[in-house]
Amino acid sequence: MSEGEPQTTSEAGAVLARLGLSDLRPVYQPVVDLRDGRVVGYEALVRGGPASPLESPAELFAAARTEHVVAEFDAACREAAVRGFDLAGAGPFALFVNAAADTLDDTAELLQPARNTVVIEITEQALVSRPDTLLRALTRFRSQGWGVALDDVGADSRALALMSLLYPDVIKLDLGRLQERRPEDVARVVGAVGAESERRQASVLAEGIDSEEQLAAARVCGAQLGQGYLLGEPAPLPGTLPEPGRALRLTSSGGDPAGDNPYRRVTNWKRPARGSRELAERTAGLIVCQAAALGESAVVLVAYPDEGHAGAAEVAELRELAGRLAFVGVLGAPAHLAHGGGIRTGPLLAEDTMRGTWTVIALGPGLAACFVAQEASDGDYELATSYDRDLVVESALLIMARLAPLGPPAPR
């Protein structure tokens, strides 16, 4: 078999057994309600079993990646975690499980309906790497009753920019990474997370609570839930489980990367104005300037009517912005605006409903703006702008879902 060639299920199983990756020992770290100290759930973590020469998660995943069986190993980890949870009768508790960013599509395909509250943890990197795959996977997760947690918030400003697009049920603050940042950065992160959690009715979970000082910091940050060595180490589930605390509530909401194009969404409720192309360009430029003012925690998404629309000045501005913002994505880009260099591009197919319309979106903490326009028969433009956050996020999903991945999918 050549390197990187997909393997059959039986071949992958043989590889897992040969490497000792089928002998897994799940351990569980409690997730505690900081308001009353009761356990509401457990995060499942994987360790090598007695027959495995490998112990740590890093070693296990490195071996799986080398042999191109990450998807199968990832599934085996989840199966072991769920099986151990079921055998212990832990149904009243929420189960948090992890998924490798490059196997989310496989994870979603293998997904079974949740028998209890199951929350899958992802990072913003999964959205950056393969937006089409992730958004499709999230829809499937939620259709099966699974929740979604955004992990490692505080480690990277991109998480703040992309948080709204993931519709998280749980937002996990990384206290260790947060404490390494400047006080003004911490305040910005905490404010953005607090606003998003209230908007979506999501729970805030502080991870890395290993001391009384960090427990106090978690409470200062407004976390309702906590996780860390002070509250409980990763270990096999106890023979006698604690009395469960408040049940974790999922938001039951998620974005749909399909449906009407942004122009129709905005103009369905807001009557468009009419003006020249110069007026339309100035209006679109104002939206971009708002993102530039926000800096590294902002996203700019653009969909041009066709590949010949953008001029040299617009292309130069997007290239410059790509070095300063969290993310820049462009549909219908001119051929010389290459995929890469900080800019993500995607094609507009001939039958795409977005073709013929112009959209510019700026999104980030405290910012949600969407400009839309369509050329009229006399050469003028019908244009409108919306600052309704829900509408802007829904429109942004339509563009993100059409962007090309960073690279080819991981071999199976």
Side-chain angles (χ1 to χ4, degrees):
M1 179 179 293
S2 63
E3 183 178 358
E5 184 179 338
Q7 303 186 48
T8 65
T9 301
S10 59
E11 289 170 337
V15 172
L16 291 176
R18 174 171 57 81
L19 295 174
L21 297 179
S22 56
D23 181 29
L24 300 174
R25 177 172 60 91
V27 292
Y28 303 86
Q29 187 170 35
V31 173
V32 174
D33 192 323
L34 299 181
R35 294 163 290 192
D36 57 19
R38 305 274 286 276
V39 176
V40 300
Y42 293 88
E43 179 178 356
L45 305 166
V46 66
R47 304 288 186 266
S52 175
L54 306 173
E55 166 66 16
S56 74
E59 291 175 320
L60 293 165
F61 270 96
R65 206 171 294 280
T66 299
E67 296 290 336
H68 311 299
V69 289
V70 176
E72 293 79 5
F73 176 64
D74 207 32
C77 290
R78 272 188 307 282
E79 288 169 8
V82 172
R83 185 167 57 250
F85 214 62
D86 288 345
L87 289 173
F93 298 94
L95 174 63
F96 289 75
V97 296
N98 292 276
D102 51 5
T103 68
L104 280 167
D105 218 16
D106 303 281
T107 300
E109 288 295 329
L110 299 170
L111 207 61
Q112 298 297 320
R115 293 188 294 274
N116 51 303
T117 303
V118 183
V119 180
I120 193 156
E121 300 190 11
I122 59 174
T123 67
E124 87 289 336
Q125 181 57 38
L127 181 59
V128 170
S129 300
R130 296 181 60 79
D132 58 335
T133 296
L134 176 64
L135 294 173
R136 184 170 59 247
L138 290 185
T139 299
R140 186 174 294 242
F141 289 145
R142 290 194 167 95
S143 71
Q144 299 285 17
W146 289 48
V148 175
L150 177 58
D151 201 7
D152 297 336
V153 176
D156 191 325
S157 293
R158 288 185 304 184
L160 302 184
L162 298 167
M163 185 162 50
S164 294
L165 296 172
L166 297 172
Y167 291 80
D169 300 282
V170 179
I171 304 172
K172 298 189 73 172
L173 276 173
D174 187 331
L175 290 182
R177 299 290 185 87
L178 208 56
Q179 289 176 332
E180 296 171 358
R181 306 188 69 164
R182 299 175 303 172
E184 54 268 34
D185 290 335
V186 173
R188 183 163 50 87
V189 170
V190 170
V193 167
E196 187 66 22
S197 68
E198 291 190 16
R199 185 180 300 113
R200 300 291 180 206
Q201 297 185 333
S203 300
V204 178
L205 191 163
E207 55 183 345
I209 300 177
D210 301 331
S211 67
E212 291 290 346
E213 181 181 355
Q214 288 171 320
L215 176 58
R219 289 183 167 132
V220 168
C221 291
Q224 301 95 33
L225 307 176
Q227 180 182 355
Y229 279 73
L230 179 68
L231 305 176
E233 298 184 8
L237 288 170
T240 302
L241 291 165
E243 189 71 23
R246 297 179 180 90
L248 180 68
R249 182 185 62 189
L250 302 182
T251 63
S252 300
S253 65
D256 182 9
D260 288 341
N261 63 45
Y263 180 83
R264 183 177 292 275
R265 287 172 186 260
V266 173
T267 59
N268 269 348
W269 68 275
K270 193 169 188 178
R271 183 178 179 180
R274 196 174 180 88
S276 64
R277 173 161 178 166
E278 180 189 3
L279 177 64
E281 288 176 343
R282 290 178 60 187
T283 308
L286 183 61
I287 301 297
V288 172
C289 285
Q290 292 176 59
L294 197 57
E296 63 181 5
S297 58
V299 170
V300 164
L301 299 170
V302 179
Y304 289 119
D306 56 62
E307 292 75 10
H309 182 90
E314 287 178 84
V315 170
E317 183 179 26
L318 289 172
R319 290 190 187 280
E320 192 273 331
L321 282 173
R324 296 195 288 130
L325 304 187
F327 190 90
V328 175
V330 183
L331 296 180
H336 59 281
L337 184 59
H339 185 68
I343 297 178
R344 303 293 297 283
T345 61
L348 274 179
L349 302 179
E351 67 275 13
D352 197 313
T353 59
M354 293 186 69
R355 182 171 283 277
T357 66
W358 181 11
T359 305
V360 178
I361 292 173
L363 187 63
L367 171 63
C370 177
F371 160 83
V372 294
Q374 187 171 45
E375 188 172 5
S377 57
D378 60 1
D380 276 351
Y381 280 79
E382 294 188 339
L383 57 138
T385 301
S386 174
Y387 290 90
D388 180 283
R389 190 172 189 88
D390 288 340
L391 190 153
V392 174
V393 171
E394 291 166 2
S395 298
L397 285 173
L398 297 171
I399 297 178
M400 289 293 294
R402 289 164 164 81
L403 296 176
L406 273 177
R412 300 187 185 184

